[in-house]
Amino acid sequence: MKNRTALVLHSGGQDSTTCLFWALQRFAGVRALCITYGQRHAPEVEVARQIAARAGVAFQLLDATVISRLSQNSLTQHDMVMDQEQPAGAYPNTFVPGRNLFFLTFAAVIARSHGIRDIVTGVSQADYSGYPDCRDTFIRSANATLNLSMDEQFILHTPLMWLSKAETWALADELGVFDLIKKETLTCYNGIPADGCGQCPACKLRKTGLEVYEKTRINAARR
Ligand code: ZN
């Protein structure tokens, strides 16, 4: 893939930053696309911009705030109390219906305008709260639909799809960006960089994965 350019959906969080560096290792060129949708963790946009600058890739910001007006969810309704756990038989109120479908559609249209076919997204179904638009079946279906809708041959890459959070930390380490991702990314739903607030579901997931990975890292260093 050394003669192709990839477009990476980049939010400034752990997962998408890992994907950005994954793409840099595989593609001749990389572009970062950051989409705002009225999310409460808006500071991540500046984090995303800084990381893209450090990585030396073109950065584009797209305002899709309309997404926040389409449904009730705690990521865009700032006065709604965020579910800390997954309610029985329902998605947590952090689920933004349609978000990844909108994101992939915007990404594909923008990729096409740059003559890009490869689109990278950090969704994962292995270690997540089960959002339907993070699943592999959804990605395959969206890939087919985007190709049909524009008569193109897009390839949606999901390097984290089957990785646990601990394995995503391991991948960051392999890519040589463990410290950058640990210290400079923003995953927290409350907009606090690095270790975050420590309480929101995104922080808990990130922290648990980091603890598991750091244990194996220490053991490996001892051997
Ligand atoms: Zn947090």
Side-chain angles (χ1 to χ4, degrees), residues 116-156:
I116 295 172
R117 292 193 299 142
D118 295 278
I119 298 165
V120 184
T121 171
V123 295
S124 168
Q125 86 169 54
D127 193 10
Y128 213 62
S129 19
Y131 295 157
D133 57 356
C134 290
R135 293 180 194 147
D136 191 54
T137 48
F138 161 71
I139 295 293
R140 287 163 188 261
S141 157
N143 202 152
T145 298
L146 292 168
N147 286 352
L148 290 169
S149 73
M150 289 175 251
D151 196 15
E152 290 287 347
Q153 294 295 317
F154 296 113
I155 303 166
L156 301 186

Side-chain angles (χ1 to χ4, degrees), residues 188-190 196-200 203:
C188 174
Y189 286 152
N190 291 311
C197 72
Q199 301 301 317
C200 76
C203 279

